[in-house]
Amino acid sequence: MNQPDPAFEIDPQRLLLESMETGALPDLEPLELAREYAQELAQGSSGENEIVRWWHSPSGFYYEFKQFPAAFYGRSGPVQGQYLSPQEAQELVWEALTRADKDQADLTMFYTPHLMQSDLDFYMAYTLEQTRIERGEARYALPLFMRLKLPTHLLLLFRSKDEYLMFKLPQGQPVLYQVLA
């Protein structure tokens, strides 16, 4: 019996975080073909808010930041989103802040369309080379965008007007930057 192909994911987040720390721009050109493929697979339902746009279909998922398209994520495979009430979204944010602190998980939240103009616009917590880094100010406010990277899955929350859409994406096979370079 044929096994389905494992989902692949293309996630340059680590490269972007490293470049933020070093000041050197990441070379994402080797990932461009995989990025285009992920975008193609995700064509179907779409949404957007002030800072990010996303697409999802039975074949894949893709998001990118409007002002900074190098910040993107794509994956193949079945994807389903879930609408949350404001209370459920708030609980998810509290849980994400707790997990980022307790489990040292990578967390990114953008609260305003200004992205990173002031510490109140965003919060990021991540680990690079055994060093825990926090930027911005952690708040319990509902963000426009939240991304929590755990060992088993990626949790995304998008706010559009008064709607909250969550995706819980199981970890896929990563597209390796070194192989494509």
Side-chain angles (χ1 to χ4, degrees):
M1 187 153 84
N2 288 340
Q3 294 287 334
D5 290 334
F8 80 84
E9 66 181 3
I10 177 170
D11 187 2
Q13 174 102 355
R14 181 69 34 200
L15 295 171
L16 297 172
L17 294 174
E18 288 170 0
S19 73
M20 199 165 34
E21 295 303 320
T22 65
L25 293 175
D27 179 13
L28 300 179
E29 188 175 338
L31 299 175
E32 194 57 37
L33 186 58
R35 177 184 183 162
E36 289 174 12
Y37 183 61
Q39 282 177 303
E40 185 179 310
L41 289 175
Q43 295 306 306
S45 298
S46 64
E48 67 178 84
N49 61 24
E50 294 92 328
I51 60 172
V52 69
R53 55 178 132 312
W54 60 91
W55 297 265
H56 59 96
S57 75
S59 301
F61 177 86
Y62 181 84
Y63 78 75
E64 69 182 11
F65 279 79
K66 292 177 178 181
Q67 294 178 26
F68 189 55
F72 69 93
Y73 172 87
R75 69 170 286 115
S76 67
V79 175
Q80 288 187 333
Q82 176 183 350
Y83 284 99
L84 302 178
S85 70
Q87 295 78 16
E88 291 169 323
Q90 187 66 70
E91 289 173 14
L92 189 65
V93 168
W94 291 337
E95 180 184 332
L97 286 165
T98 301
R99 298 284 304 264
D101 186 46
K102 180 181 160 219
D103 301 337
Q104 301 290 293
D106 289 357
L107 176 64
T108 302
M109 288 199 270
F110 289 101
Y111 302 103
T112 73
H114 305 295
L115 294 180
M116 299 173 84
Q117 291 179 13
S118 88
D119 284 350
L120 294 175
D121 294 329
F122 74 103
Y123 175 70
M124 298 173 83
Y126 51 94
T127 303
L128 287 177
E129 297 179 17
Q130 290 94 34
T131 301
R132 188 68 176 168
I133 300 167
E134 292 187 37
R135 295 179 172 273
E137 188 171 314
R139 300 177 12 201
Y140 289 108
L142 287 168
L144 290 168
F145 171 84
M146 182 186 83
R147 172 193 162 109
L148 177 66
K149 180 73 170 177
L150 297 163
T152 57
H153 64 276
L154 177 66
L155 189 65
L156 298 167
L157 177 68
F158 300 98
R159 184 178 87 205
S160 181
K161 297 182 177 64
D162 292 328
E163 293 185 327
Y164 303 91
L165 182 58
M166 179 199 64
F167 291 92
K168 184 177 180 180
L169 306 170
Q171 184 172 335
Q173 181 66 37
V175 171
L176 299 176
Y177 183 80
Q178 294 84 354
V179 172
L180 298 175

